[in-house]
Amino acid sequence: RQRQMCIRDSLQITVADEQWHELAKTLRDDPDTAMDYLVTIVGMDWVEKLGCIYYLMSTRHNTMCSVKVAVTDRDKPYIHSVADLWRIAEIYEREVYDFYGIVFINNPDMRRLYLRNDWVGYPMRKDNDPEKDNPLCMANEETFDTTQEIELNPDGTIKQVIPCLLY
């Protein structure tokens, strides 16, 4: 019989950034924990701190843990990357950077992921004011994203390619 995992049964850890990478490596490599799967990274703004909650899972033990890492410097928030331990962290850390402005030390690709390069500010931060900080007027911005809708005839051949604008 398989035991169901519930998040309230999981280990919850808070660690300073200076110890985070070493702890992450231990959680992954120690056979007793074997946290081999980084489920996600959630960026957080606690007003007095910016940081992340990392959700880790052991596929060997069917256990989970969450690790909270936070920094107090809102102007230059830096957290050590774990992209060298879990490759998927490269993307998750870029997402957190894009929305919260947290820079991950040693992440090989610290670019915006979702927002345009000329976007000003970080929209998920509680001190973000898009009316003041973002010079873009979203009401009349040109859309450059396009896609195609492809339909098939009953015989399986392509009927028509219809270009579509994405809004």
Side-chain angles (χ1 to χ4, degrees):
R1 184 168 195 244
Q2 188 168 351
R3 181 177 159 233
Q4 294 296 315
M5 187 65 190
C6 178
I7 195 70
R8 71 174 174 262
D9 295 335
S10 69
L11 177 64
Q12 297 175 14
I13 303 167
T14 300
V15 65
D17 175 56
E18 296 76 25
Q19 287 86 42
W20 166 226
H21 193 272
E22 184 179 335
L23 173 64
K25 188 168 178 22
T26 300
L27 289 169
R28 185 194 68 174
D29 295 344
D30 187 318
D32 292 334
T33 54
M35 296 290 167
D36 56 339
Y37 177 48
L38 174 60
V39 178
T40 195
I41 302 172
V42 178
M44 298 296 291
D45 183 346
W46 291 285
V47 181
E48 71 283 351
K49 296 178 183 179
L50 288 171
C52 300
I53 299 177
Y54 296 78
Y55 291 93
L56 305 171
M57 181 177 193
S58 170
T59 58
R60 181 183 308 154
H61 302 300
N62 192 29
T63 56
M64 291 186 72
C65 80
S66 61
V67 182
K68 176 182 172 182
V69 182
V71 293
T72 56
D73 188 345
R74 295 182 67 83
D75 294 327
K76 294 181 182 175
Y78 292 105
I79 292 178
H80 285 82
S81 174
V82 291
D84 62 319
L85 303 176
W86 296 282
R87 182 77 187 249
I88 191 63
E90 280 187 39
I91 297 294
Y92 293 160
E93 290 170 355
R94 284 181 61 192
E95 178 182 33
V96 170
Y97 166 70
D98 209 4
F99 292 137
Y100 291 92
I102 298 169
V103 176
F104 292 87
I105 299 167
N106 293 326
N107 181 306
D109 189 9
M110 271 285 78
R111 293 178 291 149
R112 287 201 179 267
L113 184 62
Y114 296 112
L115 299 175
R116 296 167 42 134
N117 288 332
D118 58 352
W119 185 274
V120 175
Y122 304 100
M124 299 301 287
R125 287 176 62 153
K126 293 181 179 175
D127 57 1
N128 182 61
D129 182 358
E131 298 295 323
K132 178 181 140 288
D133 295 335
N134 200 325
L136 297 177
C137 179
M138 302 308 282
N140 63 359
E141 181 179 301
E142 284 187 54
T143 303
F144 296 107
D145 293 339
T146 60
T147 187
Q148 299 178 36
E149 182 177 342
I150 299 173
E151 296 179 10
L152 293 178
N153 290 315
D155 66 358
T157 60
I158 294 177
K159 180 180 185 180
Q160 185 177 1
V161 177
I162 306 167
C164 301
L165 284 177
L166 298 176
Y167 295 99

